[in-house]
Every structure is written in C-alpha cells, then in structure tokens.
C-alpha cells in the first residue's frame, strides 16, 4: 500500500468513525469500489491495517475526552452511581454489553456475508441516513446526559448491534436511538462517542491477541504508524467539529451525503458489471 493510499484511508477512517456515515462502509467502498489501496495488502493485511485505523480513532476519543473518562473511573469505582460521573461510567458499561456479545459471536460472520455486497451496503447507507434524520427531526429534547437511565442505555446499546452491518454506522445507530428516547442532540452525540471507546478498545484487543497480527504489523510497521497518526489527527478534528456543528444544525446534511455516496457506489458497481 503506497503512502498516499495509506493517508487517504486514515483520513476516511477519522472522518467516518465519528460522523454518522459508517466507517466500515467507507473503508470497503474506498478500497474495493474506488480501488484506493486495493491489492497492496492481503485480506488479512487489510483487516490488520483497519486495526491501526481504529487504534488511531480510539486514541482520538481517549485524548479528547480524557478528563471526562478520568472522572468517570474515579467516581464509578468510589461512589458508584451516586454521582453523575460514576453513573455515566456504568451507563456506558450497560450500553456496551449487547454490542460486545453480538460482536464476539457474529462480527466475522456478518463481515464475510456483507463485505462484498456493495448494493446492500449502499441500501444500508440510505436507510440509516433517513432514520438518522427522521429520528432527530421528529423527537423532542427533554433529556440531557444526566437524565439517561439504565433502560435508555440498554436500548441504545441494542441499537448499536446493527452497526455490525457496514452502512449502518455505530454513531448513526446510537444517536438515532438516543434521539428517539428524547435525549437532546448534544447529549446523544456525546454518549455515542463515550460508548464507542470500549467497543473499539475491545475490537483492538481481540485483534492484537492473534499472533498473525503482530507478524503483519512488524513487516508493515510504516504503513500502520501512518494509518494510526492520520486517523488520530482527523478523528480529533471530527469529534470537535460534530459537537460544535450539532449545536445549531440537524443531521440533514449527513442523510444527503449518505444517499449521494450510496448512489455513486451503485452506479459504479453497475457500470463495472455491464460495461
């Protein structure tokens, strides 16, 4: 994989992990449909490179919300749910359980079934884009971050399970669920970001447990370092952007973008098939 392709995929990951447009779908689209970085690594190498990209975005979350996470752990293991920071930690744990269970059991199965189904991925992009916009537009904003209940967290966590399907988006599904539960836009987005940390961390750890991963990293370390750095920098910028953007804007632009990129993919795939 050349340097330019590595940087492009790092940028794609940094943007699409935090904006509600599906990072898994975009990596597949840019690599397989648009040919950026395609064939430069084996399939195992590609999935290991995706690990580097996710590690970069994990670092972005950790750095951006570092003070928040420190307070959550301090209060969560001392005062429990008696204080809001401690309660938030256990809300995140609760929300993580459904995705963690389904991810361990079905992630590889879903990836193998859906990975090359570009039309299906495109349809998921369109459907989830509409759901994201409508759930935000039609829902009231009566709850803030401190008002989220354990029932809310569990329901949002169940919604996150659909993010296993490329095109749905982890942030898209969780924000949509939170807005449907009447959690205000900023709180829904923040909670979605908080939730992403343990899920990404778990995926990174599981991948690092494979000996083959370390072999691939050691033989392609330059690519992985560049991937981590590029996704980290862009991830930080996108977290900051989205939190500011949603203060005065809805999710309409993301719906339009998802529909547009889906149509581009569908047309590209059909042209390659019949021309």
């Amino acid at each position: 994989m050349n340097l330019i392709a590595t940087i492009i995929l790092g940028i794609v990951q940094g943007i699409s992990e935090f904006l509600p447009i599906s990072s898994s779908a975009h990596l597949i689209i840019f690599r397989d449909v648009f040919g950026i970085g395609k064939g430069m690594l084996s399939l195992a190498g590609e999935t290991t490179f995706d690990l580097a990209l996710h590690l970069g975005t994990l670092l972005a979350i950790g750095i951006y919300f570092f003070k928040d996470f420190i307070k959550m752990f301090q209060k969560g293991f001392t005062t429990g749910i008696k204080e809001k920071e401690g309660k938030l930690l256990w809300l995140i744990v609760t929300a993580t359980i459904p995705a963690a269970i389904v991810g361990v059991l079905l992630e590889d199965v879903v990836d193998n079934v859906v990975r090359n189904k570009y039309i299906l991925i495109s349809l998921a992009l369109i459907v989830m884009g509409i759901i994201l916009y409508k759930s935000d537009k039609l829902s009231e904003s009566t709850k803030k971050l401190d008002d989220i209940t354990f029932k809310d967290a569990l329901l949002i966590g169940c919604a996150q399970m659909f993010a296993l399907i490329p095109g749905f988006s982890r942030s898209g599904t969780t924000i949509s669920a939170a807005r449907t539960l009447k959690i205000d836009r900023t709180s829904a987005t923040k909670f979605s970001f908080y939730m992403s940390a343990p899920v990404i961390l778990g995926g990174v750890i599981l991948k690092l447990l494979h000996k083959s991963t370390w072999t691939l990293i050691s033989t392609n370390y330059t690519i992985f370092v560049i991937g981590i750095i590029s996704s980290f920098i862009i991830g930080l910028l996108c977290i900051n952007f989205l939190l500011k953007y949603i203060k005065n804007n809805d999710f309409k632009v993301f719906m339009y973008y998802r529909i547009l990129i889906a149509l581009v993919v569908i047309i590209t795939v059909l042209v390659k098939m019949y021309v």
Side-chain angles (χ1 to χ4, degrees):
M1 183 181 296
N2 59 42
L3 178 62
I4 294 176
T6 302
I7 294 174
I8 290 174
L9 291 178
I11 292 172
V12 168
Q13 170 65 21
I15 293 173
S16 57
E17 179 66 44
F18 298 114
L19 302 188
I21 57 176
S22 179
S23 62
S24 57
H26 275 73
L27 288 176
I28 292 171
I29 289 168
F30 273 74
R31 183 184 288 132
D32 296 353
V33 179
F34 298 158
I36 298 175
K38 179 66 174 177
M40 301 300 292
L41 290 171
S42 65
L43 180 58
E46 288 180 355
T47 56
T48 305
F49 177 64
D50 291 352
L51 162 70
L53 300 182
H54 282 90
L55 183 56
T57 49
L58 177 62
L59 290 173
I61 298 169
I63 295 297
Y64 195 92
F65 295 110
F66 180 75
K67 291 182 180 179
D68 291 357
F69 285 130
I70 291 296
K71 289 180 181 178
M72 287 182 210
F73 278 98
Q74 287 177 339
K75 298 296 184 179
F77 288 103
T78 54
T79 61
I81 63 173
K82 294 180 180 179
E83 296 189 41
K84 59 182 181 181
E85 293 89 353
K87 178 187 175 184
L88 187 54
L89 174 67
W90 297 110
L91 286 171
I92 294 169
V93 171
T94 301
T96 301
I97 292 172
I101 294 173
V102 174
V104 170
L105 296 175
L106 297 177
E107 183 172 13
D108 290 340
V109 175
V110 172
D111 186 61
N112 291 332
V113 171
V114 181
R115 185 178 182 86
N116 297 320
K117 304 296 189 298
Y118 308 120
I119 302 298
L120 180 60
I121 292 172
S122 298
L123 292 176
L125 282 167
I126 294 172
V127 170
M128 192 62 230
I130 295 171
I131 291 174
L132 174 66
Y133 173 66
K134 288 297 185 180
S135 62
D136 173 64
K137 197 70 175 178
L138 300 177
S139 299
E140 298 177 4
S141 297
T142 59
K143 296 180 183 178
K144 295 187 179 297
L145 198 61
D146 297 344
D147 301 318
I148 297 175
T149 65
F150 282 95
K151 180 182 177 181
D152 292 334
L154 187 60
L155 290 172
I156 296 170
C158 289
Q160 187 174 216
M161 295 187 297
F162 290 97
L164 288 175
I165 302 173
F168 273 84
S169 165
R170 181 182 295 111
S171 59
T173 55
T174 52
I175 290 172
S176 296
R179 291 294 293 124
T180 301
L181 293 167
K182 300 182 180 181
I183 299 167
D184 73 78
R185 197 175 291 148
T186 297
S187 298
T189 305
K190 265 194 169 184
F191 192 66
S192 174
F193 285 157
Y194 291 151
M195 285 176 60
S196 67
V199 173
I200 297 175
L201 177 60
V204 168
I205 291 173
L206 287 175
K207 192 66 180 177
L208 289 174
L209 291 176
H210 294 283
K211 185 179 179 180
S212 59
T213 299
W214 292 100
T215 302
L216 286 164
I217 291 175
S218 64
T219 54
N220 300 279
Y221 66 90
T222 302
I223 289 174
F224 294 102
V225 170
I226 294 172
I228 290 170
I229 292 173
S230 56
S231 62
F232 166 70
I233 293 172
I234 300 302
L236 274 178
L237 294 174
C238 284
I239 292 172
N240 188 59
F241 163 76
L242 188 59
L243 288 175
K244 289 182 178 180
Y245 177 82
I246 58 172
K247 288 181 179 179
N248 300 306
N249 299 279
D250 58 22
F251 293 97
K252 184 185 295 183
V253 66
F254 301 110
M255 177 184 68
Y256 287 152
Y257 170 77
R258 291 172 70 107
I259 293 173
L260 177 61
I261 190 69
L263 292 176
V264 169
V265 171
I266 292 171
I267 293 170
T268 302
V269 170
L270 293 177
V271 168
K272 288 182 177 180
M273 286 176 59
Y274 298 107
V275 176

